[in-house]
Amino acid sequence: MRRWIYLGFSLLVFATQAGQLPLTVNQIGLMLRAGYSSNSLTHELSTRHFADTVDETNEKALVKAGASAELIAALKSGIYSLSPEKTAAVQQQIAAEEQRRAEQSEASRKSEAAYQARVVRERSAPSHVDDGALANKKLLAFYFSAQWCGPCRKFTPQLVDYYKRAAPEHPEFEIVFYSRDRSLFAMEKYMREENMPWPAIDFSKLKEKEVLAKNAGSGIPSLVLVDSTGKVISSSYAGSQYVGPEKVLADLDAIFAGKASARLAAQ
């Protein structure tokens, strides 16, 4: 034990004097790929030394990294090598450092995950649908959208402006967000970023509400307008053809103006 303590102390002094730990095959390969020449590495080895072995596998790795035949021969000759005991101690120190970095990385990952979870809990979450409050609504527009969808991000501000204009004048009308996001975090982030003023179906209950999506079509953004009985009045799809959510807003304007066409009334 004392011998290893002595070796560790000697290597610490050695590393301090040289500025860095002795080189290994893996480090030499990385330096070659980063642009170091074999000659410049020879100079590095003269001050930092070599704490590794060049077996067949390591030699192939060095050749693949671009090491010259002269550099490989020098490494094999042992002129830059530390004693076997010091080499073992250096490798042990390198392994300990890699373990420390791995533990730090894992701790950082867990800390970030915990922070995000805390943010989700502590922030003011967007409102979710209150079935009782919707009972008095005569017109419901279900908005199928997601943060990852580029066309959705383009259309949502237009829908927000429309809602702010129409909702105060028409209390019988409501928009309900049906998220196509892949997580609660993404859903709520999207709602906050776009300042969605309408309620949303709880993310954990989306699968229970799949029946609402039967008229939403295969693409987003999509709006489906229904009356209080659940009858579809207007949709972003005409059969399998995508006509867009703007069509639903135009139909809503016609309804609000009392100019709904016979086609809408008959749907």
Side-chain angles (χ1 to χ4, degrees), residues 129-162:
V129 170
D130 181 339
D131 292 337
L134 295 181
N136 296 324
K137 301 295 181 180
K138 296 180 180 179
L139 293 169
L140 290 174
F142 290 96
Y143 181 41
F144 299 83
S145 183
Q147 183 192 39
W148 51 262
C149 168
C152 299
R153 299 297 293 264
K154 184 177 180 181
F155 174 72
T156 299
Q158 178 184 339
L159 185 59
V160 169
D161 289 342
Y162 182 91

PDB file of all heavy atoms in Angstrom, residues 129-162:
ATOM      1  N   VAL A 129     -59.611  21.386 -19.123  1.00  0.00           N
ATOM      2  CA  VAL A 129     -61.046  21.433 -19.397  1.00  0.00           C
ATOM      3  C   VAL A 129     -61.864  21.095 -18.157  1.00  0.00           C
ATOM      4  O   VAL A 129     -61.590  20.110 -17.461  1.00  0.00           O
ATOM      5  CB  VAL A 129     -61.389  20.439 -20.532  1.00  0.00           C
ATOM      6  CG1 VAL A 129     -62.911  20.302 -20.656  1.00  0.00           C
ATOM      7  CG2 VAL A 129     -60.823  20.937 -21.844  1.00  0.00           C
ATOM      8  N   ASP A 130     -62.838  21.930 -17.889  1.00  0.00           N
ATOM      9  CA  ASP A 130     -63.837  21.670 -16.858  1.00  0.00           C
ATOM     10  C   ASP A 130     -65.126  21.309 -17.592  1.00  0.00           C
ATOM     11  O   ASP A 130     -65.781  22.161 -18.191  1.00  0.00           O
ATOM     12  CB  ASP A 130     -64.035  22.929 -15.998  1.00  0.00           C
ATOM     13  CG  ASP A 130     -65.049  22.721 -14.886  1.00  0.00           C
ATOM     14  OD1 ASP A 130     -65.868  21.788 -14.996  1.00  0.00           O
ATOM     15  OD2 ASP A 130     -65.032  23.500 -13.912  1.00  0.00           O
ATOM     16  N   ASP A 131     -65.462  20.005 -17.576  1.00  0.00           N
ATOM     17  CA  ASP A 131     -66.633  19.549 -18.327  1.00  0.00           C
ATOM     18  C   ASP A 131     -67.896  20.301 -17.924  1.00  0.00           C
ATOM     19  O   ASP A 131     -68.768  20.566 -18.761  1.00  0.00           O
ATOM     20  CB  ASP A 131     -66.830  18.046 -18.124  1.00  0.00           C
ATOM     21  CG  ASP A 131     -65.716  17.234 -18.777  1.00  0.00           C
ATOM     22  OD1 ASP A 131     -65.080  17.777 -19.708  1.00  0.00           O
ATOM     23  OD2 ASP A 131     -65.480  16.088 -18.363  1.00  0.00           O
ATOM     24  N   GLY A 132     -67.980  20.646 -16.646  1.00  0.00           N
ATOM     25  CA  GLY A 132     -69.154  21.379 -16.193  1.00  0.00           C
ATOM     26  C   GLY A 132     -69.250  22.751 -16.824  1.00  0.00           C
ATOM     27  O   GLY A 132     -70.332  23.202 -17.221  1.00  0.00           O
ATOM     28  N   ALA A 133     -68.106  23.424 -16.947  1.00  0.00           N
ATOM     29  CA  ALA A 133     -68.094  24.762 -17.531  1.00  0.00           C
ATOM     30  C   ALA A 133     -68.426  24.726 -19.014  1.00  0.00           C
ATOM     31  O   ALA A 133     -68.971  25.680 -19.571  1.00  0.00           O
ATOM     32  CB  ALA A 133     -66.724  25.405 -17.316  1.00  0.00           C
ATOM     33  N   LEU A 134     -68.101  23.619 -19.666  1.00  0.00           N
ATOM     34  CA  LEU A 134     -68.375  23.500 -21.104  1.00  0.00           C
ATOM     35  C   LEU A 134     -69.821  23.124 -21.392  1.00  0.00           C
ATOM     36  O   LEU A 134     -70.263  23.193 -22.546  1.00  0.00           O
ATOM     37  CB  LEU A 134     -67.438  22.450 -21.729  1.00  0.00           C
ATOM     38  CG  LEU A 134     -65.941  22.766 -21.714  1.00  0.00           C
ATOM     39  CD1 LEU A 134     -65.165  21.647 -22.399  1.00  0.00           C
ATOM     40  CD2 LEU A 134     -65.643  24.099 -22.387  1.00  0.00           C
ATOM     41  N   ALA A 135     -70.541  22.722 -20.372  1.00  0.00           N
ATOM     42  CA  ALA A 135     -71.915  22.264 -20.573  1.00  0.00           C
ATOM     43  C   ALA A 135     -72.800  23.356 -21.156  1.00  0.00           C
ATOM     44  O   ALA A 135     -73.783  23.065 -21.866  1.00  0.00           O
ATOM     45  CB  ALA A 135     -72.491  21.761 -19.253  1.00  0.00           C
ATOM     46  N   ASN A 136     -72.474  24.617 -20.857  1.00  0.00           N
ATOM     47  CA  ASN A 136     -73.301  25.732 -21.335  1.00  0.00           C
ATOM     48  C   ASN A 136     -72.842  26.286 -22.684  1.00  0.00           C
ATOM     49  O   ASN A 136     -73.427  27.247 -23.179  1.00  0.00           O
ATOM     50  CB  ASN A 136     -73.294  26.863 -20.303  1.00  0.00           C
ATOM     51  CG  ASN A 136     -73.924  26.436 -18.988  1.00  0.00           C
ATOM     52  OD1 ASN A 136     -74.891  25.674 -18.977  1.00  0.00           O
ATOM     53  ND2 ASN A 136     -73.375  26.919 -17.881  1.00  0.00           N
ATOM     54  N   LYS A 137     -71.798  25.678 -23.241  1.00  0.00           N
ATOM     55  CA  LYS A 137     -71.291  26.160 -24.520  1.00  0.00           C
ATOM     56  C   LYS A 137     -72.076  25.537 -25.676  1.00  0.00           C
ATOM     57  O   LYS A 137     -72.345  24.334 -25.688  1.00  0.00           O
ATOM     58  CB  LYS A 137     -69.806  25.815 -24.671  1.00  0.00           C
ATOM     59  CG  LYS A 137     -68.921  26.400 -23.573  1.00  0.00           C
ATOM     60  CD  LYS A 137     -68.892  27.919 -23.609  1.00  0.00           C
ATOM     61  CE  LYS A 137     -67.985  28.481 -22.510  1.00  0.00           C
ATOM     62  NZ  LYS A 137     -67.928  29.961 -22.526  1.00  0.00           N
ATOM     63  N   LYS A 138     -72.428  26.368 -26.637  1.00  0.00           N
ATOM     64  CA  LYS A 138     -73.184  25.890 -27.788  1.00  0.00           C
ATOM     65  C   LYS A 138     -72.274  25.563 -28.975  1.00  0.00           C
ATOM     66  O   LYS A 138     -72.681  24.816 -29.864  1.00  0.00           O
ATOM     67  CB  LYS A 138     -74.210  26.942 -28.210  1.00  0.00           C
ATOM     68  CG  LYS A 138     -75.277  27.199 -27.147  1.00  0.00           C
ATOM     69  CD  LYS A 138     -76.269  28.250 -27.620  1.00  0.00           C
ATOM     70  CE  LYS A 138     -77.340  28.505 -26.556  1.00  0.00           C
ATOM     71  NZ  LYS A 138     -78.312  29.547 -27.010  1.00  0.00           N
ATOM     72  N   LEU A 139     -71.071  26.143 -28.953  1.00  0.00           N
ATOM     73  CA  LEU A 139     -70.110  25.907 -30.028  1.00  0.00           C
ATOM     74  C   LEU A 139     -68.745  25.602 -29.430  1.00  0.00           C
ATOM     75  O   LEU A 139     -68.204  26.410 -28.676  1.00  0.00           O
ATOM     76  CB  LEU A 139     -70.005  27.140 -30.945  1.00  0.00           C
ATOM     77  CG  LEU A 139     -71.238  27.488 -31.773  1.00  0.00           C
ATOM     78  CD1 LEU A 139     -71.058  28.864 -32.412  1.00  0.00           C
ATOM     79  CD2 LEU A 139     -71.476  26.435 -32.851  1.00  0.00           C
ATOM     80  N   LEU A 140     -68.205  24.448 -29.766  1.00  0.00           N
ATOM     81  CA  LEU A 140     -66.877  24.061 -29.295  1.00  0.00           C
ATOM     82  C   LEU A 140     -65.981  23.781 -30.495  1.00  0.00           C
ATOM     83  O   LEU A 140     -66.338  22.991 -31.375  1.00  0.00           O
ATOM     84  CB  LEU A 140     -66.950  22.805 -28.426  1.00  0.00           C
ATOM     85  CG  LEU A 140     -67.594  22.936 -27.047  1.00  0.00           C
ATOM     86  CD1 LEU A 140     -67.711  21.554 -26.402  1.00  0.00           C
ATOM     87  CD2 LEU A 140     -66.773  23.858 -26.157  1.00  0.00           C
ATOM     88  N   ALA A 141     -64.831  24.438 -30.503  1.00  0.00           N
ATOM     89  CA  ALA A 141     -63.850  24.196 -31.565  1.00  0.00           C
ATOM     90  C   ALA A 141     -62.663  23.459 -30.952  1.00  0.00           C
ATOM     91  O   ALA A 141     -61.910  24.034 -30.154  1.00  0.00           O
ATOM     92  CB  ALA A 141     -63.400  25.513 -32.197  1.00  0.00           C
ATOM     93  N   PHE A 142     -62.487  22.207 -31.285  1.00  0.00           N
ATOM     94  CA  PHE A 142     -61.353  21.430 -30.776  1.00  0.00           C
ATOM     95  C   PHE A 142     -60.142  21.689 -31.680  1.00  0.00           C
ATOM     96  O   PHE A 142     -60.214  21.502 -32.901  1.00  0.00           O
ATOM     97  CB  PHE A 142     -61.696  19.939 -30.746  1.00  0.00           C
ATOM     98  CG  PHE A 142     -62.709  19.593 -29.692  1.00  0.00           C
ATOM     99  CD1 PHE A 142     -64.062  19.487 -30.012  1.00  0.00           C
ATOM    100  CD2 PHE A 142     -62.319  19.395 -28.373  1.00  0.00           C
ATOM    101  CE1 PHE A 142     -65.002  19.174 -29.039  1.00  0.00           C
ATOM    102  CE2 PHE A 142     -63.254  19.087 -27.393  1.00  0.00           C
ATOM    103  CZ  PHE A 142     -64.600  18.979 -27.724  1.00  0.00           C
ATOM    104  N   TYR A 143     -59.068  22.140 -31.028  1.00  0.00           N
ATOM    105  CA  TYR A 143     -57.864  22.507 -31.775  1.00  0.00           C
ATOM    106  C   TYR A 143     -56.814  21.429 -31.605  1.00  0.00           C
ATOM    107  O   TYR A 143     -56.281  21.222 -30.513  1.00  0.00           O
ATOM    108  CB  TYR A 143     -57.332  23.855 -31.271  1.00  0.00           C
ATOM    109  CG  TYR A 143     -56.100  24.337 -31.998  1.00  0.00           C
ATOM    110  CD1 TYR A 143     -55.974  24.216 -33.371  1.00  0.00           C
ATOM    111  CD2 TYR A 143     -55.056  24.948 -31.299  1.00  0.00           C
ATOM    112  CE1 TYR A 143     -54.844  24.669 -34.049  1.00  0.00           C
ATOM    113  CE2 TYR A 143     -53.922  25.415 -31.965  1.00  0.00           C
ATOM    114  CZ  TYR A 143     -53.832  25.265 -33.336  1.00  0.00           C
ATOM    115  OH  TYR A 143     -52.710  25.707 -33.998  1.00  0.00           O
ATOM    116  N   PHE A 144     -56.500  20.736 -32.689  1.00  0.00           N
ATOM    117  CA  PHE A 144     -55.501  19.673 -32.699  1.00  0.00           C
ATOM    118  C   PHE A 144     -54.190  20.275 -33.206  1.00  0.00           C
ATOM    119  O   PHE A 144     -54.102  20.731 -34.355  1.00  0.00           O
ATOM    120  CB  PHE A 144     -55.959  18.514 -33.590  1.00  0.00           C
ATOM    121  CG  PHE A 144     -57.244  17.884 -33.131  1.00  0.00           C
ATOM    122  CD1 PHE A 144     -58.480  18.444 -33.479  1.00  0.00           C
ATOM    123  CD2 PHE A 144     -57.226  16.751 -32.332  1.00  0.00           C
ATOM    124  CE1 PHE A 144     -59.666  17.864 -33.045  1.00  0.00           C
ATOM    125  CE2 PHE A 144     -58.407  16.165 -31.890  1.00  0.00           C
ATOM    126  CZ  PHE A 144     -59.638  16.737 -32.242  1.00  0.00           C
ATOM    127  N   SER A 145     -53.187  20.270 -32.312  1.00  0.00           N
ATOM    128  CA  SER A 145     -51.949  20.973 -32.643  1.00  0.00           C
ATOM    129  C   SER A 145     -50.822  20.444 -31.761  1.00  0.00           C
ATOM    130  O   SER A 145     -51.050  19.668 -30.829  1.00  0.00           O
ATOM    131  CB  SER A 145     -52.142  22.481 -32.430  1.00  0.00           C
ATOM    132  OG  SER A 145     -50.993  23.213 -32.793  1.00  0.00           O
ATOM    133  N   ALA A 146     -49.573  20.863 -32.059  1.00  0.00           N
ATOM    134  CA  ALA A 146     -48.420  20.406 -31.276  1.00  0.00           C
ATOM    135  C   ALA A 146     -47.258  21.371 -31.428  1.00  0.00           C
ATOM    136  O   ALA A 146     -47.120  22.051 -32.454  1.00  0.00           O
ATOM    137  CB  ALA A 146     -47.979  19.000 -31.717  1.00  0.00           C
ATOM    138  N   GLN A 147     -46.415  21.410 -30.411  1.00  0.00           N
ATOM    139  CA  GLN A 147     -45.257  22.302 -30.413  1.00  0.00           C
ATOM    140  C   GLN A 147     -44.292  21.970 -31.539  1.00  0.00           C
ATOM    141  O   GLN A 147     -43.686  22.850 -32.134  1.00  0.00           O
ATOM    142  CB  GLN A 147     -44.526  22.210 -29.068  1.00  0.00           C
ATOM    143  CG  GLN A 147     -43.337  23.160 -28.959  1.00  0.00           C
ATOM    144  CD  GLN A 147     -42.475  22.838 -27.746  1.00  0.00           C
ATOM    145  OE1 GLN A 147     -42.267  21.684 -27.420  1.00  0.00           O
ATOM    146  NE2 GLN A 147     -41.952  23.856 -27.097  1.00  0.00           N
ATOM    147  N   TRP A 148     -44.128  20.671 -31.858  1.00  0.00           N
ATOM    148  CA  TRP A 148     -43.142  20.250 -32.844  1.00  0.00           C
ATOM    149  C   TRP A 148     -43.575  20.537 -34.287  1.00  0.00           C
ATOM    150  O   TRP A 148     -42.781  20.415 -35.223  1.00  0.00           O
ATOM    151  CB  TRP A 148     -42.855  18.751 -32.716  1.00  0.00           C
ATOM    152  CG  TRP A 148     -44.074  17.879 -32.699  1.00  0.00           C
ATOM    153  CD1 TRP A 148     -44.693  17.365 -31.600  1.00  0.00           C
ATOM    154  CD2 TRP A 148     -44.838  17.418 -33.824  1.00  0.00           C
ATOM    155  NE1 TRP A 148     -45.786  16.614 -31.956  1.00  0.00           N
ATOM    156  CE2 TRP A 148     -45.896  16.620 -33.320  1.00  0.00           C
ATOM    157  CE3 TRP A 148     -44.730  17.592 -35.197  1.00  0.00           C
ATOM    158  CZ2 TRP A 148     -46.842  16.030 -34.152  1.00  0.00           C
ATOM    159  CZ3 TRP A 148     -45.668  17.002 -36.024  1.00  0.00           C
ATOM    160  CH2 TRP A 148     -46.702  16.228 -35.508  1.00  0.00           C
ATOM    161  N   CYS A 149     -44.823  20.922 -34.469  1.00  0.00           N
ATOM    162  CA  CYS A 149     -45.401  21.119 -35.810  1.00  0.00           C
ATOM    163  C   CYS A 149     -45.196  22.555 -36.287  1.00  0.00           C
ATOM    164  O   CYS A 149     -45.766  23.498 -35.727  1.00  0.00           O
ATOM    165  CB  CYS A 149     -46.879  20.760 -35.760  1.00  0.00           C
ATOM    166  SG  CYS A 149     -47.819  21.266 -37.206  1.00  0.00           S
ATOM    167  N   GLY A 150     -44.372  22.733 -37.342  1.00  0.00           N
ATOM    168  CA  GLY A 150     -44.102  24.071 -37.869  1.00  0.00           C
ATOM    169  C   GLY A 150     -45.347  24.819 -38.319  1.00  0.00           C
ATOM    170  O   GLY A 150     -45.566  25.982 -37.934  1.00  0.00           O
ATOM    171  N   PRO A 151     -46.215  24.214 -39.153  1.00  0.00           N
ATOM    172  CA  PRO A 151     -47.442  24.905 -39.573  1.00  0.00           C
ATOM    173  C   PRO A 151     -48.339  25.279 -38.391  1.00  0.00           C
ATOM    174  O   PRO A 151     -49.025  26.306 -38.433  1.00  0.00           O
ATOM    175  CB  PRO A 151     -48.123  23.872 -40.485  1.00  0.00           C
ATOM    176  CG  PRO A 151     -46.992  23.061 -41.037  1.00  0.00           C
ATOM    177  CD  PRO A 151     -46.012  22.949 -39.907  1.00  0.00           C
ATOM    178  N   CYS A 152     -48.320  24.453 -37.339  1.00  0.00           N
ATOM    179  CA  CYS A 152     -49.105  24.778 -36.140  1.00  0.00           C
ATOM    180  C   CYS A 152     -48.579  26.045 -35.479  1.00  0.00           C
ATOM    181  O   CYS A 152     -49.355  26.924 -35.077  1.00  0.00           O
ATOM    182  CB  CYS A 152     -49.047  23.615 -35.145  1.00  0.00           C
ATOM    183  SG  CYS A 152     -49.724  22.057 -35.748  1.00  0.00           S
ATOM    184  N   ARG A 153     -47.246  26.116 -35.360  1.00  0.00           N
ATOM    185  CA  ARG A 153     -46.650  27.289 -34.718  1.00  0.00           C
ATOM    186  C   ARG A 153     -46.956  28.558 -35.516  1.00  0.00           C
ATOM    187  O   ARG A 153     -47.031  29.659 -34.969  1.00  0.00           O
ATOM    188  CB  ARG A 153     -45.132  27.103 -34.583  1.00  0.00           C
ATOM    189  CG  ARG A 153     -44.708  25.915 -33.731  1.00  0.00           C
ATOM    190  CD  ARG A 153     -45.164  26.067 -32.285  1.00  0.00           C
ATOM    191  NE  ARG A 153     -44.512  27.147 -31.608  1.00  0.00           N
ATOM    192  CZ  ARG A 153     -43.440  27.017 -30.844  1.00  0.00           C
ATOM    193  NH1 ARG A 153     -42.907  25.827 -30.674  1.00  0.00           N
ATOM    194  NH2 ARG A 153     -42.897  28.043 -30.239  1.00  0.00           N
ATOM    195  N   LYS A 154     -47.129  28.387 -36.816  1.00  0.00           N
ATOM    196  CA  LYS A 154     -47.460  29.539 -37.666  1.00  0.00           C
ATOM    197  C   LYS A 154     -48.926  29.938 -37.515  1.00  0.00           C
ATOM    198  O   LYS A 154     -49.263  31.131 -37.499  1.00  0.00           O
ATOM    199  CB  LYS A 154     -47.157  29.198 -39.127  1.00  0.00           C
ATOM    200  CG  LYS A 154     -47.382  30.350 -40.092  1.00  0.00           C
ATOM    201  CD  LYS A 154     -46.979  29.951 -41.505  1.00  0.00           C
ATOM    202  CE  LYS A 154     -47.194  31.110 -42.478  1.00  0.00           C
ATOM    203  NZ  LYS A 154     -46.818  30.732 -43.866  1.00  0.00           N
ATOM    204  N   PHE A 155     -49.809  28.948 -37.382  1.00  0.00           N
ATOM    205  CA  PHE A 155     -51.242  29.233 -37.314  1.00  0.00           C
ATOM    206  C   PHE A 155     -51.715  29.642 -35.922  1.00  0.00           C
ATOM    207  O   PHE A 155     -52.639  30.460 -35.792  1.00  0.00           O
ATOM    208  CB  PHE A 155     -52.038  28.008 -37.776  1.00  0.00           C
ATOM    209  CG  PHE A 155     -53.532  28.157 -37.598  1.00  0.00           C
ATOM    210  CD1 PHE A 155     -54.265  29.009 -38.414  1.00  0.00           C
ATOM    211  CD2 PHE A 155     -54.196  27.464 -36.588  1.00  0.00           C
ATOM    212  CE1 PHE A 155     -55.630  29.160 -38.242  1.00  0.00           C
ATOM    213  CE2 PHE A 155     -55.569  27.617 -36.406  1.00  0.00           C
ATOM    214  CZ  PHE A 155     -56.285  28.460 -37.235  1.00  0.00           C
ATOM    215  N   THR A 156     -51.111  29.095 -34.863  1.00  0.00           N
ATOM    216  CA  THR A 156     -51.607  29.332 -33.505  1.00  0.00           C
ATOM    217  C   THR A 156     -51.732  30.819 -33.140  1.00  0.00           C
ATOM    218  O   THR A 156     -52.759  31.214 -32.561  1.00  0.00           O
ATOM    219  CB  THR A 156     -50.721  28.592 -32.469  1.00  0.00           C
ATOM    220  OG1 THR A 156     -50.765  27.183 -32.739  1.00  0.00           O
ATOM    221  CG2 THR A 156     -51.205  28.846 -31.054  1.00  0.00           C
ATOM    222  N   PRO A 157     -50.742  31.681 -33.447  1.00  0.00           N
ATOM    223  CA  PRO A 157     -50.933  33.108 -33.122  1.00  0.00           C
ATOM    224  C   PRO A 157     -52.166  33.700 -33.810  1.00  0.00           C
ATOM    225  O   PRO A 157     -52.858  34.552 -33.228  1.00  0.00           O
ATOM    226  CB  PRO A 157     -49.647  33.760 -33.649  1.00  0.00           C
ATOM    227  CG  PRO A 157     -48.636  32.659 -33.615  1.00  0.00           C
ATOM    228  CD  PRO A 157     -49.398  31.423 -33.988  1.00  0.00           C
ATOM    229  N   GLN A 158     -52.464  33.238 -35.020  1.00  0.00           N
ATOM    230  CA  GLN A 158     -53.662  33.701 -35.725  1.00  0.00           C
ATOM    231  C   GLN A 158     -54.925  33.263 -34.988  1.00  0.00           C
ATOM    232  O   GLN A 158     -55.880  34.047 -34.847  1.00  0.00           O
ATOM    233  CB  GLN A 158     -53.662  33.122 -37.149  1.00  0.00           C
ATOM    234  CG  GLN A 158     -54.886  33.487 -37.978  1.00  0.00           C
ATOM    235  CD  GLN A 158     -54.870  32.816 -39.343  1.00  0.00           C
ATOM    236  OE1 GLN A 158     -53.823  32.398 -39.861  1.00  0.00           O
ATOM    237  NE2 GLN A 158     -56.042  32.693 -39.959  1.00  0.00           N
ATOM    238  N   LEU A 159     -54.894  32.038 -34.466  1.00  0.00           N
ATOM    239  CA  LEU A 159     -56.046  31.528 -33.722  1.00  0.00           C
ATOM    240  C   LEU A 159     -56.210  32.265 -32.391  1.00  0.00           C
ATOM    241  O   LEU A 159     -57.338  32.545 -31.965  1.00  0.00           O
ATOM    242  CB  LEU A 159     -55.888  30.024 -33.486  1.00  0.00           C
ATOM    243  CG  LEU A 159     -57.072  29.308 -32.833  1.00  0.00           C
ATOM    244  CD1 LEU A 159     -58.337  29.459 -33.688  1.00  0.00           C
ATOM    245  CD2 LEU A 159     -56.761  27.831 -32.614  1.00  0.00           C
ATOM    246  N   VAL A 160     -55.098  32.581 -31.738  1.00  0.00           N
ATOM    247  CA  VAL A 160     -55.149  33.334 -30.487  1.00  0.00           C
ATOM    248  C   VAL A 160     -55.798  34.702 -30.720  1.00  0.00           C
ATOM    249  O   VAL A 160     -56.669  35.137 -29.957  1.00  0.00           O
ATOM    250  CB  VAL A 160     -53.736  33.502 -29.888  1.00  0.00           C
ATOM    251  CG1 VAL A 160     -53.756  34.512 -28.728  1.00  0.00           C
ATOM    252  CG2 VAL A 160     -53.198  32.167 -29.397  1.00  0.00           C
ATOM    253  N   ASP A 161     -55.386  35.378 -31.781  1.00  0.00           N
ATOM    254  CA  ASP A 161     -55.977  36.687 -32.112  1.00  0.00           C
ATOM    255  C   ASP A 161     -57.468  36.558 -32.388  1.00  0.00           C
ATOM    256  O   ASP A 161     -58.271  37.395 -31.954  1.00  0.00           O
ATOM    257  CB  ASP A 161     -55.273  37.287 -33.333  1.00  0.00           C
ATOM    258  CG  ASP A 161     -53.851  37.743 -33.027  1.00  0.00           C
ATOM    259  OD1 ASP A 161     -53.531  37.910 -31.833  1.00  0.00           O
ATOM    260  OD2 ASP A 161     -53.064  37.919 -33.974  1.00  0.00           O
ATOM    261  N   TYR A 162     -57.834  35.511 -33.101  1.00  0.00           N
ATOM    262  CA  TYR A 162     -59.247  35.292 -33.411  1.00  0.00           C
ATOM    263  C   TYR A 162     -60.049  35.074 -32.125  1.00  0.00           C
ATOM    264  O   TYR A 162     -61.124  35.652 -31.941  1.00  0.00           O
ATOM    265  CB  TYR A 162     -59.396  34.079 -34.332  1.00  0.00           C
ATOM    266  CG  TYR A 162     -60.835  33.817 -34.739  1.00  0.00           C
ATOM    267  CD1 TYR A 162     -61.364  34.375 -35.889  1.00  0.00           C
ATOM    268  CD2 TYR A 162     -61.677  33.024 -33.948  1.00  0.00           C
ATOM    269  CE1 TYR A 162     -62.688  34.155 -36.264  1.00  0.00           C
ATOM    270  CE2 TYR A 162     -62.992  32.800 -34.293  1.00  0.00           C
ATOM    271  CZ  TYR A 162     -63.498  33.367 -35.453  1.00  0.00           C
ATOM    272  OH  TYR A 162     -64.819  33.159 -35.807  1.00  0.00           O
TER     273      TYR A 162
END
